[in-house]
Amino acid sequence: MKVGFISLGCSKNLIDTEIVIGMFKNNNYKIVNKPEDADVLVINTCGFIESAKEEAINTILEMAEYKKQKCKYLIVMGCLVQRYYEDLLKSLPEVDLFIKIDEYDRLWEKIEDLIKRDIVQKSKTKTSKKIYEIKPLPMPTFNEFFERVITTGKNYAYLKIGEGCSNKCTYCAIPYIRGPFVSRKMEEILEEAEMLATKGIKEIIVIAQDTTKYGIDIYGESKLAELLEKLSEIKGIEWIRFLYSYPEGITDKLIETVANNDKIAKYFDIPIQHISNSILKKMNRKTTKENITSIIEKIKNKIPDVTLRTSLIVGFPGETEKDFYELLDFVKAAKFDKLGTFMYSKEEGTPAARLPEQIHGNTKKARYNKIMKEQAKISLENLEEKIGNIYKVLIENISFDGKYFVGRTMQDVPEEDGLVYIKNDGKYKVEDILNHFVECGIEKVSNYDLIGKIRD
């Protein structure tokens, strides 16, 4: 049978999808890229905010149309299912099997049982298939090491070091969907990284809901710095980066490790969300404006060429004009290299959804636009400072018209940050340069991207 996949949401979700692809492949299913070719369609959903929920529902309904053609089974898993399981059972009869996150330890059993039971049932009664439920084991083991099929290309792969979140920010549903933060054992993470290296992966991107919490639950202290050092010892891995590091968890040891290890990207992704102490307290963030400012200054002093990335929320309940302009002034002063902004989404079941002084949608949009307009200027200024610099660039593609090689520096997260465009002057064969590193001198910039030339 042929099986197709759609993975929605974050990179952590993508890893779950890659594991399921691996399960199907190991059980002799053929993986296909076009839904019209699939006998089985699997959708891994996101249920984090309203827009993600809408995308998931629309995708399910779109894929259900293929059941009128070749597709025999539609399977839906992930965060949306965990959060709205009973509602989905009632409202989406087109789906043959829903799998909650806390059922992942029985995931393959449920999938295999669906198909086998249906075959037997049809052969005996000629009746249509039914949704059924298998009671899950009490402790999921999906968080351990599994062979997976990498879907992000030849050069980079994500490496999840923990599951869930214990921070309980008042606006966030992740702890209720994914449960508390649980670290993976270091030896299993390293085993997976070794496997990735044998597949030719050059860059490891370490992820978790909050990577700075890694190890605290099983080792009694944060082990992120130690893990990064051990990853850097793996032969074949040339670039290592970690994302989602909360400011209160960034230690002097972590900063030193990043500063002194050439394989680790001089890159800190610090989701601060806000800078007003009043709003931070309402968000139940475990930090203050003073702590955030201090940690950013410490990082910049220790690593002068560091790239800083953050994410913000505007329009949180009770955010006054004063709170917002305090945030805007901070953005102007901090000059983040990369910055994403979200308009607050009122999520049912979260404490923030019950707060008074909910902000009007038009006000959220106006504040979002002001932040992003300011950041566009800052980003351009930061990029212009790179003109004349020389960077190691990983070439990953060629432009549609063949005129440019397209790559990234160590300071750019794939699919999130900017690119480097290098004029293809005919001196290099595509096969000799694609998926290889080159030295590139930066000559000019364009929006969020760099334009350069290979140094001979």
Side-chain angles (χ1 to χ4, degrees), residues 360-399:
H360 192 278
N362 290 341
T363 303
K364 293 181 194 177
K365 185 65 174 177
R367 291 176 180 178
Y368 169 88
N369 288 337
K370 285 181 181 179
I371 291 279
M372 296 312 295
K373 183 179 179 181
E374 188 61 40
Q375 181 59 31
K377 292 189 290 185
I378 293 169
S379 295
L380 184 59
E381 290 170 3
N382 289 346
L383 283 180
E384 287 174 341
E385 291 180 2
K386 299 179 185 295
I387 295 175
N389 291 352
I390 297 168
Y391 294 98
K392 184 178 180 180
V393 174
L394 177 57
I395 304 297
E396 296 184 299
N397 214 331
I398 188 166
S399 62

Side-chain angles (χ1 to χ4, degrees), residues 53-80:
K53 289 182 277 187
E54 291 176 5
E55 180 187 24
I57 295 296
N58 290 336
T59 301
I60 293 168
L61 294 174
E62 181 184 349
M63 292 303 104
E65 288 296 306
Y66 289 100
K67 293 187 69 179
K68 299 174 182 178
Q69 304 168 27
K70 179 179 174 64
C71 180
K72 299 179 177 66
Y73 307 101
L74 180 58
I75 299 169
V76 180
M77 56 185 284
C79 292
L80 186 78

